[in-house]
Amino acid sequence: MITIQTGPQPTDLSDVRATNRAVVLRYVRTHSPCSRADIAARTGLNKATVSSLVTELIERRLLRETGLTENRVGRPATMLVLDGEPYAALGMQVDADELVVVAVDLGGNRLLTWRRAFGTLGASPAETVAAVAKLARRAVGRLTAGGRTVLGLTLGVPGLVDITGTVPLAATLNWRDAPVAAELRAALRDPGFPVALENVANLAVLAEQRHGDRAGTANLVHLTGGVGIGAGILVDGRLLRGERGFAGQVGHLPLDPAGPACRCGRRGCLEALVGLPAVVRRLLPDVKSDGAVTDFAPEIERIQALARAEDRSALAGLADLGRHLGHGAAVLADLLNPEAVLVGGHFAALAPWLLPAARTELTRRTLAPDAGGCRLEASTLGAEAAALGGATASLAAVEAGRLPTPTAALG
């Protein structure tokens, strides 16, 4: 079940039909093509209820019939699959040097993926929200022009996000007490669909759960790579939030008291050791003379080129960074015992050179034999994992059985 932070919601315990719709949609999503009889037999709903629900969902174009199958005992059955063609969900993410937007349909098929350069590190929350809203309006316009209804938008930011959609602290962006969700809704002029805010790591692990190589894994961690480092954590299939929704802030986990100074005031934090600025400083010392880096993509490409050319200094530095990464993964493995820790961002881009040393360190430092079964792997979802997770999260209301309502294009 996907959950996002949208603020307090009323509970309607009498809405059994919505719950049953969710059961039907979830079954079809994971077992399509399937028949009405399959749904009834596997979910425990009676045949009349399933028939009524399926009729309603077909009318709303959330399901469609695909024909008959004869590979069964008895009469051929009409098979069902997800439809959702008239609908789209949006996810966006704020990175240090760009904004990303992804749109998907109900089946998770990508409808668009856009990336726009934006100097977030030097921008205020208000300036960032204005840029996000501008990009969102363009995406909504493209989708509604194609006849689709937008079901929701979920924005991921690299910081703490509370239940009201406020960012109490985003240290990498120098934001404090920023009411981002409310300001984004206002900038979009109350668009007629839900607008939610979430931490980027939480959205990335939701994307992994639905779309990644470890899809369906119940105990999973996605470790973001970027200017900041966070962990999206699934425990028994549910997102681990903590008391106030701030779980997963592993970037300031102190690993080496004698290590480099961290901007949090401590020394040797995971972020200070292997965050994107630390990687660039370690492997590209000439960059320092050019001033602060605002566009990291060219620097990562330079590091990749050095590694492919088997530059000894670069390879040694990457191995050392990999050991720090493995140390951090070992702490997560001991605390959570996940099936896998998936690394994204610059960790994934540099994975061929980081992960060998990181895996060795993971095994060496974890208490349980064989790292407790934990595997350390690179995410295959690319740099837009959080935006994809945001789009997936924006489907939450429909997947909970709430029927979508039409929306107009944004002005």
Side-chain angles (χ1 to χ4, degrees):
M1 180 68 73
I2 297 169
T3 58
I4 54 176
Q5 303 220 27
T6 56
Q9 300 292 317
T11 300
D12 184 358
L13 298 177
S14 67
D15 197 355
V16 176
R17 190 168 182 86
T19 300
N20 289 342
R21 284 192 210 105
V23 170
V24 172
L25 285 169
R26 190 178 309 121
Y27 185 85
V28 175
R29 178 171 64 80
T30 55
H31 296 90
S32 64
C34 58
S35 69
R36 292 166 175 79
D38 293 332
I39 297 169
R42 298 297 181 89
T43 65
L45 298 174
N46 66 55
K47 292 183 178 179
T49 297
V50 169
S51 179
S52 174
L53 292 169
V54 167
T55 297
E56 182 179 36
L57 292 170
I58 289 174
E59 289 174 351
R60 299 303 287 267
R61 295 192 64 184
L62 295 171
L63 297 181
R64 62 183 173 86
E65 296 177 331
T66 61
L68 302 176
T69 180
E70 298 181 356
N71 296 326
R72 58 179 62 230
V73 177
R75 294 187 304 171
T78 302
M79 306 304 283
L80 302 165
V81 296
L82 288 179
D83 184 359
E85 185 177 344
Y87 306 107
L90 283 172
M92 301 184 70
Q93 70 188 61
V94 173
D95 289 331
D97 51 9
E98 68 176 358
L99 305 175
V100 183
V101 58
V102 169
V104 300
D105 65 14
L106 192 62
N109 302 301
R110 296 230 197 162
L111 305 174
L112 63 82
T113 302
W114 291 347
R115 316 172 73 87
R116 295 293 182 268
F118 182 75
T120 313
L121 295 180
S124 68
E127 290 169 333
T128 303
V129 167
V132 167
K134 181 178 180 180
L135 185 57
R137 282 193 291 270
R138 288 189 59 198
V140 171
R142 172 71 64 86
L143 295 166
T144 54
R148 294 183 185 268
T149 291
V150 176
L151 300 174
L153 185 158
T154 303
L155 172 66
V157 297
L160 303 179
V161 178
D162 69 19
I163 196 169
T164 70
T166 294
V167 179
L169 176 66
T172 59
L173 306 179
N174 199 29
W175 292 1
R176 289 184 181 274
D177 300 319
V180 174
E183 291 183 356
L184 181 57
R185 291 187 196 105
L188 294 175
R189 303 186 186 123
D190 295 320
F193 52 76
V195 176
L197 192 71
E198 183 58 275
N199 174 270
V200 288
N202 288 345
L203 294 180
V205 81
L206 290 179
E208 299 286 3
Q209 184 187 43
R210 179 69 65 86
H211 306 285
D213 287 350
R214 292 276 180 169
T217 300
N219 295 286
L220 189 66
V221 175
H222 178 104
L223 195 63
T224 61
V227 174
I229 296 173
I233 302 166
L234 292 176
V235 176
D236 295 334
R238 293 185 175 273
L239 194 61
L240 179 66
R241 294 192 177 280
E243 177 65 23
R244 297 188 180 182
F246 301 155
Q249 302 301 311
V250 301
H252 298 288
L253 182 72
L255 299 181
D256 181 6
C262 183
R263 52 193 171 75
C264 73
R266 290 176 285 191
R267 303 192 71 87
C269 295
L270 180 62
E271 186 177 298
L273 293 167
V274 295
L276 188 49
V279 171
V280 172
R281 284 194 302 269
R282 173 68 185 271
L283 300 177
L284 301 174
D286 60 304
V287 168
K288 185 177 181 180
S289 61
D290 297 329
V293 177
T294 57
D295 183 2
F296 288 94
E299 313 306 336
I300 292 299
E301 291 174 0
R302 285 181 60 196
I303 294 170
Q304 290 172 324
L306 289 170
R308 293 189 185 106
E310 299 185 354
D311 179 275
R312 290 186 179 183
S313 178
L315 292 177
L318 285 164
D320 191 41
L321 292 165
R323 284 187 284 273
H324 291 309
L325 178 60
H327 186 178
V331 174
L332 293 169
D334 277 340
L335 284 174
L336 303 167
N337 189 214
E339 179 179 313
V341 173
L342 304 175
V343 296
H346 70 282
F347 297 140
L350 301 174
W353 306 282
L354 290 175
L355 290 190
R359 288 169 176 148
T360 299
E361 195 74 3
L362 168 66
T363 302
R364 187 178 77 83
R365 286 186 176 272
T366 45
L367 179 64
D370 191 31
C374 177
R375 297 292 174 259
L376 183 58
E377 301 171 355
S379 171
T380 58
L381 294 181
E384 63 273 8
L388 177 59
T392 302
S394 294
L395 298 173
V398 170
E399 293 192 336
R402 308 293 176 184
L403 294 174
T405 55
T407 59
L410 298 178

